[in-house]
Amino acid sequence: MSEKYDSRLSKFLQCIEVSRDSPNNRKFVAVKLTSLGSSSLLQRMTTFANDAHRIFTSCFDKDGKGYMTRDEFANICQDLSISSTDVIEAVKALDPQEMNTIDHIDMSMAAFGIISEPVEYYQLSHHF
């Protein structure tokens, strides 16, 4: 069963790459997400994404911009007495492209160790 989903995920990522590399500016990919996993898994992922967004907006995004800057994140960490060394490492993980923005997706992905190749993630995310 896992091989079937791995194969489908591979096709999904190939579709995104083809769209990203398209020579024109009209980039569109339609993928049936239910083919990537069971409906219960997709429901849990949706619940997690909604919860992560709610927590981010209530705890970190104090001004409602949808993101926080590196300095805003560092100030929150300082208020929590987190060492500057740990803050520096966290910022590198959350904002590897040094774009000075951290949002709920960055935090969620880092929490689960999904940002193993941050360049790929950011290249893909900016096309949508």
Side-chain angles (χ1 to χ4, degrees):
M1 190 76 131
S2 177
E3 289 177 17
K4 180 171 100 176
Y5 292 125
D6 289 346
S7 171
R8 291 177 179 174
L9 178 60
S10 177
K11 284 284 188 204
F12 174 76
L13 295 174
Q14 286 174 356
C15 290
I16 292 173
E17 289 173 7
V18 166
S19 176
R20 179 192 66 204
D21 297 337
S22 174
N24 61 31
N25 287 331
R26 301 189 72 189
K27 300 175 189 294
F28 178 77
V29 176
V31 178
K32 183 179 175 186
L33 290 179
T34 54
S35 68
L36 295 177
S38 69
S39 59
S40 63
L41 172 63
L42 293 172
Q43 181 60 45
R44 288 194 322 251
M45 290 172 63
T46 299
T47 300
F48 171 79
N50 289 335
D51 289 347
H53 184 262
R54 183 180 43 76
I55 291 167
F56 181 82
T57 22
S58 63
C59 298
F60 297 102
D61 185 19
K62 300 295 183 185
D63 54 10
K65 294 182 297 202
Y67 65 90
M68 63 182 152
T69 65
R70 286 174 161 228
D71 287 341
E72 289 168 334
F73 178 75
N75 289 338
I76 291 168
C77 291
Q78 187 177 31
D79 291 346
L80 297 171
S81 301
I82 298 173
S83 76
S84 59
T85 303
D86 288 341
V87 172
I88 291 168
E89 290 303 311
V91 167
K92 285 179 186 176
L94 293 169
D95 185 23
Q97 296 297 313
E98 298 180 3
M99 298 171 62
N100 198 33
T101 60
I102 299 167
D103 63 19
H104 73 282
I105 295 172
D106 298 325
M107 293 188 79
S108 299
M109 292 182 76
F112 286 97
I114 297 173
I115 304 180
S116 58
E117 296 182 36
V119 174
E120 287 260 335
Y121 162 71
Y122 280 101
Q123 287 174 343
L124 293 176
S125 69
H126 289 302
H127 288 285
F128 298 99

